[in-house]
Amino acid sequence: MINIEKKIQKSDLNKELLDYLDRKFQTHLELKDDSGSSKHSKYLKNKMEEWGKGFEENLPSDLKDYFIYITASAGNFSYYNLNSRILFKYIFPSFFKEFDSGQIWIVETEAKWRDISWSSQHKLAQENDLGEIIGEYPHEFTGMQEENFPEMSIDILTYALYPLMPCEVVHLAYGLSLIFIPDCVFEYSQMKEADTLYNHLLWKMHHIFDDQWTFNSMRGPKSALSKDLFSFEDLLNFFEWYINLLSDKLKELLSIKESYLRQQRVMTLNSILCDMFFSITSQLPYLAKTSLFSMLDKVSNFLKSLEYDESESNLWKMILSEEFLEEEIKDKTKNVPGEVGRQMKLSIEWALDQIKLDNLDENLLRDFRNCNHGYLLNDYRWEKLCRHNGEINNDITLLSFPIWLYLISLDWKKVNKK
C-alpha cells in the first residue's frame, strides 16, 4: 500500500531518472495538447528558468537552512506536472551538492487508499445530510480525516528520535512523497533554536510541570539522543522497516468491512500522531506531559476497539504499568532494526527507572492526568496527590514513540464485539 518506488543517489541523476519523473508527474499533460503538439513550450521553459534562477540566488549558506530551503522548495512550482523538471534540474542537484552521500526516496501510497477514503467520506456526508446541503464533508476542517493517515504517519521519521531531524518528508499530490535523507543529522530545539519574541515568551512557561533538571543540567529538558549515535545505514534500515510496517497497517485497515469503524479508528490514529508530535518535540514540560496524557487517552480508546475488554481508564493505566512496559512495549522493540531499536529499549528502561525514583506508579500518574479536568477531585484522589511533590521526570514523554511502535505492531483487523 505504501511503496518505496525509488532510492535516488547522486549517481542516478541521468536521463533514465528524468524519464521516470516525467511519467510520475505526467509531464506530457502540460507540454502537449490533445493532438500531441507542443503547447506554449517556450513560455513554460522561460517560467521554469525564471523559477530556477530565483531558487539558486536564494540558496542559504548555513547548512541547516540550506536543507530546509531545498526541501521546502520541492514541488512548489505552480505548474504541478512540470515539477519533474524542477526536481531534476534544480532540487536534486542542489541536495547532492551538499549531501554527496545522501539519498532521496520516492514513496507512493496506492490510489486505493484515497479512493476508499474519499468514498467513505462522501457516504458519511450523505448519511448525515451534510454534503448534500452545504457541500462539505464531516470533520473536513479538523485535519483528522482518514485520507491523511499515510502522510501523517510517515512524518514521524522526521522528529521521533528526539531531538534529531534525520530526514525531511515532502508530500506532493496524489499520494506521492519525497524523503530527503542527508548524510548528516540535524538537531531541533523549540526553546533555543531561533531568537524570536515567541521563543522569549515560551520561557515564561518552562517551569510548569517541570522536573528539577529542566535546562539546569547537561541533560536539558529531557534526555537527548546524540546525532553521532546512528550510522547512515542504521537510519536507512529503520526507515525502510517502518514504511513497510505502515504499508501492512493500511492493508489491515482496508480489510475492516464497516467503513464507519475504519474511519473512527484512523481518525483516532491521526489524533494520536498529533499528540505524539508535541510529546516528543516540545521542550516545555507542561506541553510535553499533557500531550503524552492526551495521547494515552486515545491509545486506550483505540485498544478498546480491538479485543480488549477493560475500560479505557484501566487500559490507560495498563499501558504505563511496569509489567506492560517491560513485557509488551519493550518486547516489541526487538523487531526494530539496529541502533534505533536498541535506543528505544534503553529509553523504556530509563523512563521506568525515573517513574520509580519519583515514587510514581500508573495509578498516581492517572490521578495527575485527571488534574487536566481541574483539581476538584474526589477526596481519595486529592489525598493521594497531596502526598506527592508533583515531580514527574520529563523523560516519561519519550515513551510516546515506543508506545506508537507497539501500537502499529498489533493486528488492526481485530474488532471488539460489543
Side-chain angles (χ1 to χ4, degrees), residues 1 215 260 267 342 368 418:
M1 290 297 300
F215 296 109
Y260 77 91
M267 291 180 69
R342 180 174 175 272
F368 276 109
K418 298 181 181 179

Side-chain angles (χ1 to χ4, degrees), residues 60-72 94-95 97-100 102-103 156-169 180-190 193 224-232 235 239 280-281 283:
S61 56
D62 176 79
L63 192 60
K64 185 187 296 184
D65 293 340
Y66 183 96
F67 177 64
I68 295 302
Y69 175 77
I70 288 174
T71 55
S94 295
F95 173 81
K97 180 181 178 182
E98 291 294 337
F99 310 107
D100 188 77
Q103 293 189 19
I156 289 176
L157 298 176
T158 65
Y159 64 83
L161 303 176
Y162 172 85
L164 309 180
M165 184 180 180
C167 68
E168 176 61 309
V169 183
F180 290 84
I181 312 169
D183 49 16
C184 62
V185 176
F186 297 106
E187 295 183 18
Y188 61 82
S189 170
Q190 178 192 27
E193 192 169 321
L225 295 170
S226 168
K227 62 181 180 181
D228 300 319
L229 189 62
F230 305 102
S231 69
F232 189 61
L235 293 171
F239 294 166
I280 294 173
T281 64
Q283 293 172 329

Side-chain angles (χ1 to χ4, degrees), residues 43-108:
Y43 170 79
L44 292 174
K45 182 180 179 181
N46 289 338
K47 278 291 184 184
M48 285 188 282
E49 289 178 352
E50 180 184 326
W51 186 96
K53 182 180 179 183
F55 168 79
E56 292 178 337
E57 286 178 349
N58 289 287
L59 282 166
S61 56
D62 176 79
L63 192 60
K64 185 187 296 184
D65 293 340
Y66 183 96
F67 177 64
I68 295 302
Y69 175 77
I70 288 174
T71 55
S73 301
N76 70 359
F77 186 59
S78 54
Y79 295 86
Y80 177 80
N81 301 100
L82 295 180
N83 273 294
S84 60
R85 305 297 174 90
I86 296 294
L87 290 171
F88 184 79
K89 186 172 182 180
Y90 300 107
I91 302 294
F92 289 179
S94 295
F95 173 81
F96 288 115
K97 180 181 178 182
E98 291 294 337
F99 310 107
D100 188 77
S101 302
Q103 293 189 19
I104 302 170
W105 291 6
I106 298 179
V107 177
E108 189 168 21

Side-chain angles (χ1 to χ4, degrees), residues 19-30 75 79-85 87 92 106 172-173 176 178:
D19 292 342
Y20 169 84
L21 291 171
D22 279 347
R23 291 195 299 273
K24 271 298 171 199
F25 284 86
Q26 300 186 67
T27 306
H28 68 280
L29 295 177
E30 195 62 61
Y79 295 86
Y80 177 80
N81 301 100
L82 295 180
N83 273 294
S84 60
R85 305 297 174 90
L87 290 171
F92 289 179
I106 298 179
L172 306 172
L176 197 64
L178 302 174

Side-chain angles (χ1 to χ4, degrees), residues 223-283:
S223 295
L225 295 170
S226 168
K227 62 181 180 181
D228 300 319
L229 189 62
F230 305 102
S231 69
F232 189 61
E233 198 65 31
D234 254 330
L235 293 171
L236 295 180
N237 289 337
F238 170 66
F239 294 166
E240 184 158 12
W241 172 85
Y242 179 75
I243 291 170
N244 289 337
L245 185 55
L246 281 180
S247 182
D248 292 339
K249 295 296 107 181
L250 261 62
K251 293 175 185 175
E252 291 179 15
L253 288 166
L254 290 181
S255 72
I256 298 173
K257 295 180 180 179
E258 303 90 340
S259 63
Y260 77 91
L261 177 58
R262 188 190 64 251
Q263 290 180 74
Q264 290 174 336
R265 283 191 178 178
V266 179
M267 291 180 69
T268 303
L269 290 167
N270 286 340
S271 299
I272 289 169
L273 290 168
C274 292
D275 287 331
M276 183 167 60
F277 175 84
F278 290 106
S279 179
I280 294 173
T281 64
S282 178
Q283 293 172 329

